[in-house]
Amino acid sequence: MKMTVADALQSLCPSASWLIRGDNIEWLDTEQAQPTEAEITAEVARLQAEYDNNEYQRKRASAYPSIADQLDTIYHEGIDAWKAQIAAVKQEYPKP
């Protein structure tokens, strides 16, 4: 996913009103100042880095068994089998 100017504006000024038309930002908020181009660019970069650094979390979430399956493993095979199942996913998708 590529972060955008809209993502940056939402992050910097979550309650502000604005429109994006093409490459132009139309600032509608009279109570908050519009962020500068440098602030927006820096926020896009920060959000992108945060998203990229958390890729392992998204991969883990899709690789973990459902809660029902995890509980079934605990019931039928015991907590150690469940721990091994979870550890395998964590090992496959380690934290950076």
Side-chain angles (χ1 to χ4, degrees):
M1 184 169 133
K2 185 174 189 233
M3 294 297 138
T4 65
V5 169
D7 296 320
L9 290 174
Q10 183 63 37
S11 176
L12 291 168
C13 304
S15 63
S17 299
W18 45 268
L19 295 171
I20 296 179
R21 297 174 193 240
D23 291 335
N24 297 319
I25 300 169
E26 186 177 335
W27 197 255
L28 305 173
D29 200 299
T30 58
E31 296 183 18
Q32 297 181 59
Q34 179 176 341
T36 66
E37 186 70 30
E39 291 171 328
I40 294 169
T41 301
E43 187 64 4
V44 167
R46 185 192 72 76
L47 291 171
Q48 189 66 55
E50 182 178 304
Y51 179 84
D52 293 344
N53 289 337
N54 291 326
E55 181 178 17
Y56 79 96
Q57 290 176 340
R58 293 185 298 280
K59 287 182 175 180
R60 279 184 183 181
S62 65
Y64 285 133
S66 70
I67 295 297
D69 288 343
Q70 289 183 46
L71 291 172
D72 197 50
T73 298
I74 292 169
Y75 181 79
H76 291 289
E77 300 174 38
I79 197 80
D80 290 334
W82 171 78
K83 286 181 180 181
Q85 193 177 50
I86 298 303
V89 172
K90 289 184 179 211
Q91 184 176 3
E92 185 173 352
Y93 303 110
K95 285 184 180 180

